[in-house]
């Protein structure tokens, strides 16, 4: 819990039980790209009495403070992941909603070249690629 407290303090946020519990859940690898509703369900399952409105408020505060990144994939609802130190892009299955993170130096280099060609200095960018799983691991195919 000390790590969570430090992260909150560093972001200028007061250490509260809801913030610590939500941050703990977000730090689990299986909870990357998770919606506020799914975080709320996990909190309920673990016996925490934190309301859905509080979950939304904390996630907005985390987003403003740079602790999480908010993504709007094709599902229409926002999902959150811890803001990472390394840039990555996303592949999203339109059937099951699976999200795969990837990095590719060639894509990054091309984006920079294109920006330079158009006299733009990139400060931030995101790439989402959408498609359909082609193997049997897709939950939609089962």
């Amino acid at each position: 819990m000390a790590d969570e407290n430090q992260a909150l303090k560093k972001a200028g946020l007061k250490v509260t039980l809801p913030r610590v519990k939500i941050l703990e859940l977000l730090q689990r690898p299986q909870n990357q790209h998770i919606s506020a509703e799914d975080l709320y369900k996990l909190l309920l399952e673990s016996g925490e009495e934190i309301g859905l409105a509080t979950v939304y408020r904390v996630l907005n505060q985390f987003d403003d403070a740079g602790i999480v990144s908010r993504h709007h994939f094709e599902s229409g609802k926002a999902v959150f992941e811890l803001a990472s130190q390394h840039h990555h892009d996303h592949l999203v299955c339109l059937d099951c909603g699976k999200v795969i993170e990837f990095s590719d130096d060639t894509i990054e280099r091309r984006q920079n070249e294109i920006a330079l060609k158009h006299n733009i200095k990139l400060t931030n960018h995101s790439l989402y690629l959408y498609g359909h799983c082609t193997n049997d691991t897709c939950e939609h195919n089962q």
Side-chain angles (χ1 to χ4, degrees):
M1 187 180 311
D3 290 340
E4 290 85 5
N5 290 354
Q6 287 299 88
L8 292 172
K9 288 178 183 176
K10 184 178 176 184
L13 295 171
K14 184 177 175 186
V15 177
T16 64
L17 183 63
R19 288 179 181 149
V20 169
K21 293 297 181 182
I22 290 169
L23 189 54
E24 284 176 355
L25 286 174
L26 287 169
Q27 289 174 332
R28 296 180 186 166
Q30 69 270 24
N31 293 337
Q32 294 300 296
H33 310 113
I34 191 167
S35 69
E37 295 85 0
D38 289 338
L39 264 175
Y40 173 67
K41 289 175 191 172
L42 289 174
L43 288 164
L44 287 179
E45 289 170 9
S46 65
E48 299 296 334
E49 294 185 20
I50 298 171
L52 182 57
T54 300
V55 172
Y56 276 107
R57 186 171 55 256
V58 168
L59 287 171
N60 284 330
Q61 292 166 346
F62 284 3
D63 186 29
D64 291 343
I67 295 172
V68 298
S69 296
R70 178 189 317 254
H71 299 285
H72 296 278
F73 298 132
E74 287 293 309
S75 68
K77 64 180 174 180
V79 293
F80 299 85
E81 69 177 328
L82 287 177
S84 64
Q85 300 296 356
H86 72 285
H87 172 77
H88 61 269
D89 298 306
H90 298 90
L91 284 166
V92 182
C93 176
L94 292 169
D95 297 319
C96 68
K98 176 173 62 174
V99 178
I100 301 166
E101 296 179 354
F102 73 95
S103 297
D104 185 285
D105 291 338
T106 302
I107 291 173
E108 295 304 313
R109 187 174 60 255
R110 274 303 286 143
Q111 290 176 116
N112 285 322
E113 289 169 0
I114 291 166
L116 185 62
K117 177 182 170 184
H118 294 282
N119 299 312
I120 298 291
K121 180 181 179 192
L122 288 180
T123 58
N124 192 11
H125 71 278
S126 58
L127 176 64
Y128 305 124
L129 301 173
Y130 298 97
H132 302 278
C133 292
T134 59
N135 57 35
D136 294 334
T137 61
C138 181
E139 296 169 12
H140 184 71
N141 292 334
Q142 297 178 6

